[in-house]
Amino acid sequence: MAAARQKKTFACPVDVTLSLIHGKWKPMILWLLSARQHRFSDFQAAMPQVAHKVLSQQLRQLEADGLICRAARDTGRQHMAYQLTGFGRSLRPALNALAAWGKDHHHALGAEYGAPVSEVG
């Protein structure tokens, strides 16, 4: 976690977690990174509704909080890709639990999702 983070008081442990992953796109960014590294353009393709500026902001916030990092990706040309840090990978069980709940209850909410939800390791 970033050293510059100010000490805060939270209402409960759930509040601590939500303080890091709040935002419309952060949970989806973390979910996508649970499977593999992504370049900025990969996020844009997976989430076409998100504005470039908002995606940039949410990626920067996740990076500042120590959940993700940017790394050079060897593909002949140097490309930057985002990946989960060890701290970010520790959220996998929580993301898997949220995904399982959504899979079990999406019909009750009248919701559909595009791709099958599978657990990430």
Side-chain angles (χ1 to χ4, degrees), residues 36-71:
R36 64 175 178 85
Q37 289 184 350
H38 279 69
R39 291 177 50 206
F40 191 88
S41 60
D42 297 330
F43 291 118
Q44 289 179 307
M47 303 179 296
Q49 316 89 312
V50 65
H52 184 279
K53 178 182 175 183
V54 172
L55 179 57
S56 293
Q57 288 172 337
Q58 300 232 321
L59 287 167
R60 278 195 303 270
Q61 290 168 1
L62 288 167
E63 191 173 10
D65 286 336
L67 295 172
I68 67 172
C69 64
R70 288 186 307 168

Side-chain angles (χ1 to χ4, degrees), residues 1 5 8-22 87:
M1 188 157 49
R5 185 173 275 285
K8 295 181 183 178
T9 303
F10 296 96
C12 67
V14 172
D15 193 24
V16 173
T17 306
L18 291 178
S19 75
L20 291 175
I21 65 169
H22 75 283
F87 185 51

